[in-house]
């Protein structure tokens, strides 16, 4: 099963670290990434630009609103993510606990759905929003073991 690990950090804290502290953290992070890759669980990973580079889009009364900045003002910002393919939530949580981000920030773990919205929408019969929500809310059956 695939899980999304989201790294939340306090962006303003990085510049306050000494060069040695930054290098130590980056070394620990490289080792963490290498361990996930060597274990064959890492499917994708990427860092994000700072929250100040974010743009928020929403539609209100049929009109698009584009705002500079993140969706919510929070103490910690989403700094990056990893997609892991592991047997279960316990395995995903174990990898999250090993993350250097967990020492100074938060790692949020979420399961990834098997069925994409695009796949649901491409079915021959149109699907209504309530049906779409119901389908996405269904629990995923356990993976079969070989």
């Amino acid at each position: 099963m695939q899980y999304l690990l989201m790294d939340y950090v306090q962006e303003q804290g990085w510049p306050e670290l000494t060069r040695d502290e930054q290098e130590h953290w980056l070394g620990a992070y490289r080792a963490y990434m290498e361990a996930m890759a060597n274990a064959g669980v890492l499917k994708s990973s990427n860092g994000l630009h700072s929250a100040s580079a974010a743009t928020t889009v929403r539609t209100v009364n049929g009109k698009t609103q584009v705002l500079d900045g993140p969706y919510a003002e929070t103490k910690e910002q989403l700094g990056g993510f990893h997609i892991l393919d592991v047997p279960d939530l316990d395995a995903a949580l174990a990898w999250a606990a090993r993350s250097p981000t967990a020492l100074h920030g938060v790692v949020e773990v979420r399961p990834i759905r098997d069925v994409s919205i695009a796949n649901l929408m491409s079915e021959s019969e149109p699907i209504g929003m309530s049906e779409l929500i119901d389908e996405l809310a269904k629990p995923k059956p356990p993976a079969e073991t070989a």
Side-chain angles (χ1 to χ4, degrees):
M1 180 162 190
Q2 290 193 339
Y3 289 87
L4 178 67
L5 277 58
M6 294 172 279
D7 293 342
Y8 287 91
V9 296
Q10 292 184 12
E11 291 177 348
Q12 73 277 11
W14 182 256
E16 294 174 4
L17 298 176
T18 67
R19 182 77 175 157
D20 285 345
E21 290 170 326
Q22 289 177 353
E23 288 178 9
H24 175 76
W25 189 89
L26 288 171
Y29 208 83
R30 275 190 221 94
Y32 172 66
M33 296 292 296
E34 187 175 306
M36 289 191 296
N38 289 342
V41 300
L42 184 62
K43 299 303 169 197
S44 181
S45 183
N46 226 322
L48 302 174
H49 285 278
S50 72
S52 64
T55 304
T56 305
V57 178
R58 70 173 56 165
T59 303
V60 178
N61 297 324
K63 296 188 183 200
T64 302
Q65 296 177 349
V66 179
L67 307 168
D68 290 337
Y71 171 69
E73 294 295 324
T74 61
K75 189 168 84 168
E76 293 161 330
Q77 296 78 34
L78 180 61
F81 65 90
H82 315 287
I83 296 176
L84 305 185
D85 194 347
V86 294
D88 54 32
L89 177 60
D90 289 338
L93 294 174
W95 281 108
R98 290 177 62 179
S99 171
T101 299
L103 297 172
H104 302 288
V106 175
V107 180
E108 182 178 339
V109 179
R110 288 198 197 177
I112 297 176
R113 298 186 188 280
D114 281 56
V115 179
S116 73
I117 292 174
N119 287 344
L120 288 174
M121 299 304 287
S122 68
E123 293 180 5
S124 59
E125 292 294 317
I127 186 169
M129 184 55 79
S130 63
E131 295 168 300
L132 175 63
I133 291 168
D134 289 345
E135 184 63 33
L136 291 173
K138 286 181 185 175
K140 195 166 107 176
E144 293 182 25
T145 55

